[in-house]
Amino acid sequence: MNIQENISLLPFNTFGIDKNARFFAQAKSTDEVKYLIRKSEEMHLPLFVLGGGSNILLTKNLEALVLKMEIKGFELIGENEKEIFLKVGAGESWHDFVMYCIQNNWAGVENLSLIPGTVGASPMQNIGAYGVEIKEVFDHLEAVDRDTLEIKNFSSEECRFGYRESVFKNDLKERYVITHVVFHLSKAPVINAEYGAIKQTLIEKGIESPTIKDISDAVIDIRRSKLPDPARIGNAGSFFKNPTVPVPIFEKIKSAYPNVPGFSNEEGIKIPAAWLIEQAGWKGKRFENIGVHQLQPLVLVNYGGGEGNEIKELSSKIQESVQKKFNVVLQPEVNFL
Ligand SMILES: Cc1cc2nc3c(=O)[nH]c(=O)nc-3n(C[C@H](O)[C@H](O)[C@H](O)COP(=O)(O)OP(=O)(O)OC[C@H]3O[C@@H](n4cnc5c(N)ncnc54)[C@H](O)[C@@H]3O)c2cc1C
């Protein structure tokens, strides 16, 4: 296997941060994953698993062996009257997987079109968009235990999915390398067009009975109009999670800001982080090479040449000002390295 030394990670992270990996290798099979786990132990270096680099912020050179996940493949492993079961290599691009499902008329992931990154990273934070999360189509995943090199299957329950959360970000952080994910997809279209912007886009296009392809196209149009393209402006999508606050805190905010948006859930009221950041005066603010996007304040951007530490500092300032103004703590969604 080719293990390269001192490789720039600039092409491998969507924030466009120029930091190096001490060692870097691509894993195209489960055996290669195992080999690299052993190798990192021999080298006395941590192993860092890299997918598409669309949810990380590099603040320093990585004194690590970086395993770039490249396990590919789609395998139909079962079906019944209603569903098919598809096993997908962790290194497949998430969006390519969504397009593959749409071509085959398998429903369930069309609302998740155009999310950057790999299939293997999708369970890490239970990716979600436009009213759908992957836990709804997730069957199980296969992962290599870094301590024993054994392969373990995780059911949906064992993954402990939550809002942008899973066991792999918490109790089992950095313990497993995900190699394959199995999804159950519906043979009959189950259209989920309830999300406001999708409904509106379909109306504008004059589509009354949408197919899953229509939903995917609508989501792609909306995302392109709202989110900066990382190929042009470095970013990692939503930088913070939307916070859920206890009802009394929400009521207090509402008394001062009657238009505050809020969505009830089991734990309280979810407030869009973008609204809080905008009210705190950050929308569109630019500080030399970095800033807060002018259309979507939840997205921090690198206009080119920005440093991870600068973006980290900016994110701390945003957190402080939102906490001071609203008594709400914003949690980052992005993984800091
Ligand atoms: C423009 C833009 C829009 C976005 N929109 C959304 C959105 O709508 N919804 C959403 O949920 N997210 C969104 N994201 C965030 C991001 O795309 C997802 O979190 C995605 O799943 C990250 O995948 P990745 O392969 O790039 O992971 P990476 O950034 O490479 O890695 C993220 C974390 O997962 C770990 N990891 C990656 N692969 C594996 C593996 N195989 N085994 C073990 N650990 C692994 C890494 O070590 C790291 O800790 C967006 C990002 C961008 C840039």
Side-chain angles (χ1 to χ4, degrees):
M1 259 190 99
N2 183 15
I3 299 183
Q4 297 168 279
E5 207 172 337
N6 290 327
I7 292 295
S8 167
L9 294 172
L10 182 61
F12 300 107
N13 72 100
T14 60
F15 250 127
I17 307 284
D18 194 5
K19 289 286 178 231
N20 282 357
R22 180 80 173 87
F23 294 98
F24 181 94
Q26 298 186 355
K28 295 188 174 146
S29 66
T30 303
D31 282 344
E32 290 187 351
V33 168
K34 290 184 185 174
Y35 174 83
L36 290 171
I37 294 171
R38 269 192 236 111
K39 202 75 197 162
S40 72
E41 283 164 6
E42 278 168 36
M43 292 168 150
H44 302 290
L45 280 177
L47 181 85
F48 177 73
V49 185
L50 180 65
S54 64
N55 206 17
I56 56 168
L57 179 64
L58 290 164
T59 61
K60 55 180 186 299
N61 290 326
L62 295 189
E63 194 54 27
L65 169 56
V66 172
L67 179 164
K68 173 84 174 74
M69 178 51 72
E70 290 291 347
I71 298 176
K72 302 282 186 186
F74 298 99
E75 190 187 349
L76 191 61
I77 59 166
E79 68 181 298
N80 58 35
E81 258 176 46
K82 291 184 180 160
E83 289 180 320
I84 64 102
F85 293 82
L86 189 68
K87 179 172 170 177
V88 187
E92 287 289 349
S93 127
W94 173 266
H95 183 65
D96 288 353
F97 157 62
V98 172
M99 292 298 107
Y100 184 78
C101 293
I102 288 169
Q103 275 159 23
N104 284 286
N105 222 7
W106 297 326
V109 285
E110 54 284 352
N111 292 48
L112 304 174
S113 298
L114 215 60
I115 296 181
T118 53
V119 166
S122 65
M124 295 293 296
Q125 67 157 10
N126 178 28
I127 59 167
Y130 300 96
V132 174
E133 291 180 331
I134 71 144
K135 70 172 185 193
E136 290 155 52
V137 288
F138 177 92
D139 190 72
H140 70 273
L141 64 77
E142 287 177 20
V144 180
D145 184 337
R146 293 197 198 190
D147 290 346
T148 64
L149 295 188
E150 278 167 12
I151 295 182
K152 179 169 162 49
N153 284 4
F154 284 85
S155 66
S156 185
E157 206 176 20
E158 287 169 312
C159 290
R160 285 192 249 144
F161 290 127
Y163 165 59
R164 301 296 178 272
E165 284 296 344
S166 77
V167 72
F168 304 107
K169 279 181 87 175
N170 295 290
D171 294 359
L172 297 181
K173 195 172 159 76
E174 285 171 15
R175 171 79 191 272
Y176 286 90
V177 180
I178 298 166
T179 56
H180 297 87
V181 185
V182 177
F183 298 93
H184 57 88
L185 298 151
S186 174
K187 288 180 178 176
V190 189
I191 300 297
N192 183 344
E194 281 318 295
Y195 208 90
I198 299 184
K199 222 187 224 173
Q200 187 55 34
T201 306
L202 293 172
I203 291 171
E204 283 165 15
K205 290 181 167 189
I207 298 170
E208 280 174 15
S209 310
T211 61
I212 56 171
K213 169 95 170 54
D214 293 329
I215 299 286
S216 169
D217 288 345
V219 168
I220 290 171
D221 287 354
I222 299 163
R223 292 184 71 101
R224 286 206 170 120
S225 71
K226 283 196 174 162
L227 288 169
D229 177 359
R232 292 179 43 240
I233 303 177
N235 75 91
S238 303
F239 198 92
F240 300 101
K241 296 192 218 176
N242 293 315
T244 291
V245 301
V247 175
I249 291 194
F250 182 77
E251 291 304 337
K252 198 164 167 223
I253 298 173
K254 200 173 167 71
S255 62
Y257 300 87
N259 295 330
V260 55
F263 306 91
S264 292
N265 62 29
E266 283 154 19
E267 286 127 43
I269 313 275
K270 190 184 267 189
I271 306 179
W275 185 88
L276 295 166
I277 297 167
E278 183 171 355
Q279 294 302 314
W282 292 100
K283 189 175 178 180
K285 285 265 156 75
R286 181 168 177 165
F287 307 91
E288 296 182 15
N289 296 330
I290 63 158
V292 180
H293 194 251
Q294 69 272 27
L295 295 179
Q296 177 44 277
L298 194 46
V299 178
L300 305 192
V301 293
N302 175 14
Y303 292 101
E307 290 288 340
N309 271 326
E310 295 173 314
I311 293 169
K312 190 178 171 190
E313 266 172 45
L314 173 60
S315 76
S316 301
K317 286 185 185 151
I318 293 172
Q319 279 172 313
E320 279 163 28
S321 74
V322 166
Q323 183 161 13
K324 205 165 157 205
K325 196 171 172 78
F326 296 106
N327 193 19
V328 174
V329 178
L330 292 180
Q331 301 288 353
E333 184 180 312
V334 171
N335 300 284
F336 292 9
L337 295 172

